[in-house]
Amino acid sequence: MRWFIFAIALFTINPWLAHAANIVLSNDDGWAEINIREAYKALTCSGHSVILSAPAFDQSGKASRNAPPRGVHTIPCEFCSCPANSPGLDFNTSEPRWNYVNSYPVTAVRYGIQKLSHIFFSGPSSVDLVVMGPNVVGAAVEAGREGIPSVAFSGFTGTQTPWNVDPVPEYATIYAELTAKVTDAVLASGTPYLPPGTWLSVNFPGAGPGTNCTSASQVNFALTRLFPAVRGLGPLESPPDVTTCDNGGVLPSAMDVIYRSVYVGGCAASISVGNYRKVDATRADQEIVLQKLGGILSCVPPRTLDQPTGLWKRWIG
């Protein structure tokens, strides 16, 4: 899983930026993966005050776990970003806002909110938003327990890559621009940024050379479901979704939108609204997000019968 967020939206020219926000940034691929470092740069360039608080090692697939940090013992942190025998909590000496937590994503998010916010912000109540990767649902729920809205980003392209790779992969640059655009749109929509008890999952299509999306300007955003809607099964049917784009009350699933972009044609990203039970939010909550983010949302063609209903999603660490 990879996490991406990158660097091109300048505060002085970004029409979506409502105000400079205090953001806690995390992932499950580790604090030294290139995408989270690029994410930090992108959000900072957009004028935000950002704390990076992420695991010392790749913790993909462990987003719901939580445990006290332990010292780094026999091996160094990922990509040799800290030496063996380092403490369980530490920071980059040249950039103190880059912090590692030798534990899980939930623990790292909690540390950013409860501890680091006192150093760089004005405490937990001053954190405006938590930004992270999509498979970190447990961390999104943790942010919700702290009363803070969260947005989880993921992308189809990319592998685990160190922070100091040169040159930066093109997909990372594209995903960075898109991440900044969505984050700024959420913030520009005004408080409360999201309906209570919800979080956003944003999935980007394949990007860069050899894909249908070779620049951020090509990418459209569609409002989607986290999971495909169930129809024709009576009491087991999914409740209706918000009506938009002549959809008859059924949103496309995120996987269908990304599949179409990767394997069929077009260039679309998905924005889904989840709740803290880790399922799709209600129609009413979808409607609120539709109104808030309508300025960046577009319609996508309905799924055709020959398209599969599943898709592996990778994310950018």
Side-chain angles (χ1 to χ4, degrees):
M1 327 217 104
R2 299 308 56 257
W3 214 93
F4 33 46
I5 311 212
F6 331 92
I8 311 273
L10 296 180
F11 175 73
T12 54
I13 63 174
N14 194 332
W16 294 105
L17 188 58
H19 68 282
N22 292 333
I23 295 174
V24 171
L25 176 64
S26 193
N27 70 355
D28 69 354
D29 281 336
W31 79 310
E33 214 279 338
I34 189 173
N35 291 296
I36 196 169
R37 297 294 178 91
E38 291 298 303
Y40 179 91
K41 295 176 186 177
L43 296 171
T44 301
C45 282
S46 279
H48 304 301
S49 181
V50 184
I51 297 169
L52 188 160
S53 181
F57 296 91
D58 180 11
Q59 297 290 348
S60 297
K62 302 174 184 177
S64 295
R65 299 184 186 181
N66 182 33
R70 301 173 61 185
V72 178
H73 296 307
T74 58
I75 60 174
C77 295
E78 67 173 357
F79 308 125
C80 294
S81 54
C82 78
N85 300 313
S86 294
L89 301 165
D90 210 347
F91 58 88
N92 185 296
T93 55
S94 62
E95 179 46 82
R97 286 175 178 252
W98 296 350
N99 290 259
Y100 76 72
V101 178
N102 191 26
S103 186
Y104 302 112
V106 166
T107 315
V109 167
R110 181 175 294 176
Y111 180 67
I113 294 171
Q114 296 182 352
K115 302 297 183 181
L116 296 176
S117 67
H118 287 286
I119 299 173
F120 299 105
F121 305 154
S122 300
S125 64
S126 65
V127 178
D128 296 305
L129 193 67
V130 171
V131 173
M132 55 204 160
N135 286 342
V136 191
V137 176
V141 172
E142 176 61 28
R145 291 193 182 108
E146 301 281 347
I148 302 168
S150 60
V151 184
F153 291 93
S154 71
F156 189 84
T157 303
T159 58
Q160 188 90 356
T161 304
W163 60 275
N164 57 351
V165 66
D166 186 24
V168 175
E170 290 185 37
Y171 71 81
T173 301
I174 294 170
Y175 289 155
E177 293 185 55
L178 296 173
T179 298
K181 180 176 182 178
V182 174
T183 299
D184 290 345
V186 169
L187 294 168
S189 72
T191 56
Y193 298 121
L194 296 175
T198 68
W199 55 281
L200 297 186
S201 173
V202 181
N203 289 272
F204 298 143
T211 73
N212 296 320
C213 307
T214 56
S215 71
S217 62
Q218 294 177 284
V219 181
N220 298 310
F221 291 93
L223 187 64
T224 57
R225 297 175 53 85
L226 291 171
F227 305 104
V230 176
R231 292 291 180 263
L233 294 179
L236 299 179
E237 288 189 357
S238 304
D241 297 318
V242 63
T243 301
T244 181
C245 298
D246 298 320
N247 68 351
V250 182
L251 290 172
S253 71
M255 66 180 69
D256 287 337
V257 168
I258 302 304
Y259 173 88
R260 176 180 292 276
S261 296
V262 173
Y263 297 113
V264 178
C267 184
S270 67
I271 299 180
S272 306
V273 190
N275 63 31
Y276 295 139
R277 292 184 294 113
K278 305 179 184 180
V279 297
D280 284 285
T282 65
R283 178 176 182 170
D285 288 337
Q286 293 171 346
E287 175 68 35
I288 293 173
V289 172
L290 176 64
Q291 296 303 315
K292 281 179 162 288
L293 300 185
I296 64 170
L297 293 173
S298 302
C299 298
V300 296
R303 185 173 71 86
T304 58
L305 294 178
D306 61 340
Q307 288 179 227
T309 57
L311 176 69
W312 285 105
K313 292 185 290 183
R314 303 167 220 169
W315 71 273
I316 300 173

